[in-house]
């Protein structure tokens, strides 16, 4: 029976299984596209009405949000490098006949050299056009590289590390809320305390989810 992925909450996909498993089991989980990933079972989450069992899992090969971001950075840097290489190749080629063209000789109408002269100018113009095109292409990857670079150290609920992360984060936002509550003069605007309380509630909710996904689970 095929185990499949099901979205549990933002950023988190869990395994939907027909059979029961134990923590630490390695099971194959199949994507919608039919790709099978060996995955490590962590916590039993619940049993659905249809009889399927749902488990939190991580990839056995270590792929997670951080590793995915690193691969994306590597991919787009590769594309950028190839584009820069092509731009440089076209620039080098556009120097064909540079010594001759530098003399600024006019095209001699009717002369046997006219056709070659015009063809040389046209070739180099096309090469420079391609040089600019590939240079712009290389530059276009910069935003995507920056985006994925910013996500290389991200920690979200799809990772067991999120348990410790949100424990620390909750302590931090709770202290910030208390500080604003005890010291009204530190509030930047009328909603500072409201936003601080919202941050506490949202972080506490994420921590609760992290505990269910990755903490000690008495239901196993």
């Amino acid at each position: 029976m095929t185990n499949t992925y099901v979205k549990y909450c933002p950023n988190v996909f869990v395994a939907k299984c027909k059979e029961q498993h134990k923590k630490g089991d390695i099971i194959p989980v199949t994507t919608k596209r039919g790709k099978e990933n060996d995955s490590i079972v962590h916590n039993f989450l619940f049993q659905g009405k249809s009889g399927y069992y749902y488990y939190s899992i991580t990839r056995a090969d270590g792929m997670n949000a951080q590793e995915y971001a690193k691969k994306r950075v590597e991919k787009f840097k590769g594309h950028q490098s190839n584009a820069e290489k092509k731009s440089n190749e076209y620039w080098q080629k556009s120097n064909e006949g540079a010594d001759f063209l530098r003399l600024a000789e006019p095209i001699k109408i009717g002369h046997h050299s006219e056709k070659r002269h015009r063809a040389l100018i046209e070739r180099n113009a096309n090469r420079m056009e391609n040089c600019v095109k590939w240079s712009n292409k290389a530059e276009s990857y910069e935003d995507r590289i920056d985006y994925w670079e910013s996500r290389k150290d991200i920690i979200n609920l799809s990772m067991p590390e999120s348990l410790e992360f949100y424990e620390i984060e909750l302590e931090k936002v709770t202290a910030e809320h208390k500080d604003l509550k005890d010291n009204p003069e530190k509030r930047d605007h009328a909603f500072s305390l409201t936003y601080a309380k919202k941050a506490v509630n949202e972080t506490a909710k994420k921590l609760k989810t992290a505990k269910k996904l990755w903490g000690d689970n008495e239901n196993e």
Side-chain angles (χ1 to χ4, degrees):
M1 181 60 66
T2 302
N3 306 311
T4 57
Y5 289 97
V6 173
K7 191 168 186 176
Y8 182 73
C9 65
N11 300 311
V12 180
F13 285 84
V14 300
K16 176 184 177 183
C17 309
K18 190 64 176 177
E19 299 176 353
Q20 287 183 284
H21 299 286
K22 301 189 300 294
K23 189 168 188 172
D25 285 352
I26 297 180
I27 61 172
V29 184
T30 305
T31 69
K32 288 183 178 180
R33 295 184 177 181
K35 183 182 178 182
E36 196 173 86
N37 298 314
D38 284 339
S39 302
I40 302 170
V41 173
H42 287 262
N43 288 350
F44 168 70
L45 300 173
F46 63 93
Q47 184 177 11
K49 292 181 180 179
S50 58
Y52 285 92
Y53 300 90
Y54 294 79
Y55 297 91
S56 58
I57 54 172
T58 53
R59 288 268 294 265
D61 61 4
M63 179 60 67
N64 59 21
Q66 293 180 354
E67 293 304 314
Y68 181 76
K70 291 174 185 176
K71 282 186 173 292
R72 298 297 284 180
V73 169
E74 184 179 338
K75 175 184 176 179
F76 288 123
K77 280 188 174 180
H79 289 336
Q80 185 180 56
S81 177
N82 288 337
E84 289 172 343
K85 182 179 178 182
K86 287 184 178 181
S87 176
N88 187 58
E89 287 174 353
Y90 277 113
W91 180 80
Q92 294 287 351
K93 289 178 180 179
S94 73
N95 284 310
E96 179 188 359
D99 291 340
F100 167 70
L101 293 174
R102 197 174 290 118
L103 297 174
E105 285 279 343
I107 296 175
K108 298 175 181 178
I109 307 300
H111 192 267
H112 65 82
S113 65
E114 178 185 354
K115 187 175 181 180
R116 291 197 306 272
H117 196 160
R118 291 185 184 279
L120 175 61
I121 292 173
E122 184 176 354
R123 280 199 305 275
N124 285 347
N126 289 336
R127 288 161 176 168
M128 278 306 301
E129 185 177 329
N130 281 313
C131 172
V132 172
K133 181 184 78 173
W134 283 105
S135 178
N136 291 337
K137 184 75 171 176
E139 190 175 338
S140 73
Y141 288 114
E142 202 61 44
D143 286 343
R144 279 177 277 186
I145 291 171
D146 289 344
Y147 172 76
W148 288 108
E149 283 278 9
S150 72
R151 298 182 65 83
K152 283 166 60 175
D153 297 319
I154 194 172
I155 295 177
N156 61 36
L157 287 169
S158 69
M159 306 162 65
E161 295 86 347
S162 65
L163 181 57
E164 182 180 3
F165 175 79
Y166 285 116
E167 285 176 344
I168 294 171
E169 193 67 14
L170 182 58
E171 290 180 3
K172 176 185 173 183
V173 295
T174 299
E176 289 174 351
H177 174 259
K178 185 178 185 305
D179 188 39
L180 289 176
K181 187 176 181 180
D182 295 342
N183 302 281
E185 70 279 4
K186 292 185 177 181
R187 302 173 194 175
D188 293 332
H189 49 75
F191 296 100
S192 292
L193 191 61
T194 301
Y195 291 157
K197 181 59 177 176
K198 183 180 179 181
V200 171
N201 293 340
E202 290 180 348
T203 306
K205 184 179 179 180
K206 289 179 179 178
L207 177 57
K208 182 178 179 180
T209 303
K211 286 180 177 179
K212 189 169 185 180
L213 288 166
W214 313 115
D216 293 331
N217 194 327
E218 295 178 357
N219 294 323
E220 291 182 283

